[in-house]
Amino acid sequence: MSWTEMQPLLYDATLDTLFMVWWSTFYAVLFGIPVGVLLHLTDRGALLQNVVVSKVLGAIVNIGRSFPFLILIVVLLPFTRLVVGTSIGPTGAVVPLAIAAIPFFARLVEAALREVDHGLVEAAQAMGGGTWTIIFKVLLPQALPALVAAVTTTVITLIGYSAIAGAVGGGGLGSLAYNYGYLQYETRLMVITVIELIAIVTAIQLLGDLIVRRLAGRGTRASSPVRVGLRRARTEEPAAVTEAA
C-alpha cells in the first residue's frame, strides 16, 4: 500500500479515535466526579458519613472496574444498541468506553479529594460553610491539579481501550491496525499507527503535566484566604471564651 492510499485511511481513523476518546472522557468526567465526591463524602469520618451508601457505591464501582474491557463490550451490546441505535462504529464504542471509564475516574477523584488538607474543610465549616460550599469552594478547587492529572490518566487509558474497541468493530486506529496491519500484513501501516498512538499519548501527557504544574503553583496562593479564615477562627475562639468568663 502506498503512502497516498494510507493518508485518507489514517486521517479517518484518527478522527474516529479522537471522537471516541473525547465523548467517553466527557461522560466519564460528567458522571465520575459526582460519584467520586459521593464516595469521599460518605466515607468514615467525612462530612456525610454513611457506611451503607459508601459500601454499596464502592462495591458498584469496584465491579465496574473489574470487568475486562473486551468482555464489557460484549455484555453491553444490547444496552449500547438501545442507547445509540448501533453497537458498531465509533458511536457504538462510546457507550462501553464511557461505562468503563466512569468507575475508573471516580476512584481517581476520590483519591484526589482525600489529599485535600482537612484543615481547609474545618475552616470552611468554622466560617459557616455548608456541604455544597465545601464541595465547590474547598474540595474541588483544592483538588483541581490532581483532578487534571486524573483526567489525563483517564484519557490515556481510553486511548488504549479505543484500540481494543477498534479491533471488534469500533473503528479508529485500532481497527485500522487490525484490519490492514494484521489481517492484510500491511506492516508499514501498523508501524505508522503505533507511532501515531504513541505521539498522541505523549502529547496528552505533556499537556496534562503542564496544566497540573501551573494549577499547583496557583493553588497555594488561592488557598490563602481559607487558611487565613482558619487562623482567624482559631484566634477568635479563645478570645470568645475569655469574654464569656
Side-chain angles (χ1 to χ4, degrees):
M1 182 181 293
S2 67
W3 173 246
T4 304
E5 294 173 311
M6 288 183 192
Q7 278 184 309
L9 293 174
L10 286 167
Y11 179 77
D12 291 340
T14 301
L15 290 182
D16 287 346
T17 294
L18 294 178
F19 173 86
M20 289 187 285
V21 172
W22 166 260
W23 283 108
S24 55
T25 301
F26 173 79
Y27 290 116
V29 173
L30 181 66
F31 295 104
I33 287 180
V35 173
V37 169
L38 192 57
L39 282 170
H40 174 70
L41 292 180
T42 56
D43 200 7
R44 262 179 221 283
L47 289 174
L48 304 177
Q49 177 178 320
N50 189 313
V51 177
V52 175
V53 173
S54 180
K55 294 291 185 184
V56 171
L57 188 59
I60 294 172
V61 168
N62 289 338
I63 291 171
R65 293 177 62 198
S66 67
F67 265 90
F69 182 65
L70 190 58
I71 296 175
L72 184 66
I73 294 176
V74 177
V75 170
L76 290 175
L77 283 176
F79 179 72
T80 302
R81 291 194 198 99
L82 178 66
V83 172
V84 296
T86 180
S87 60
I88 60 174
T91 302
V94 168
V95 175
L97 283 170
I99 291 177
I102 289 169
F104 177 80
F105 183 68
R107 281 299 186 191
L108 295 179
V109 171
E110 181 193 15
L113 297 178
R114 197 181 294 128
E115 296 301 316
V116 174
D117 186 357
H118 189 66
L120 299 178
V121 177
E122 292 178 353
Q125 289 177 311
M127 291 185 285
T131 301
W132 291 109
T133 300
I134 291 171
I135 291 172
F136 290 105
K137 299 292 185 181
V138 180
L139 290 176
L140 292 178
Q142 290 300 310
L144 191 55
L147 291 176
V148 172
V151 172
T152 303
T153 301
T154 303
V155 171
I156 291 172
T157 302
L158 283 171
I159 291 173
Y161 283 174
S162 71
I164 298 174
V168 290
L173 291 169
S175 177
L176 185 66
Y178 180 75
N179 291 328
Y180 288 89
Y182 178 71
L183 295 181
Q184 299 185 27
Y185 302 102
E186 293 286 350
T187 306
R188 188 168 64 151
L189 181 59
M190 179 178 284
V191 170
I192 293 172
T193 303
V194 171
I195 292 173
E196 184 175 352
L197 285 170
I198 292 172
I200 292 172
V201 168
T202 302
I204 291 171
Q205 186 66 64
L206 291 174
L207 178 61
D209 290 344
L210 176 62
I211 296 172
V212 167
R213 284 195 297 270
R214 294 196 173 183
L215 288 173
R218 293 168 55 185
T220 303
R221 296 190 295 272
S223 66
S224 57
V226 181
R227 296 182 187 277
V228 169
L230 176 59
R231 287 195 296 268
R232 185 178 299 165
R234 288 174 175 172
T235 303
E236 290 175 354
E237 190 175 321
V241 173
T242 302
E243 289 175 5

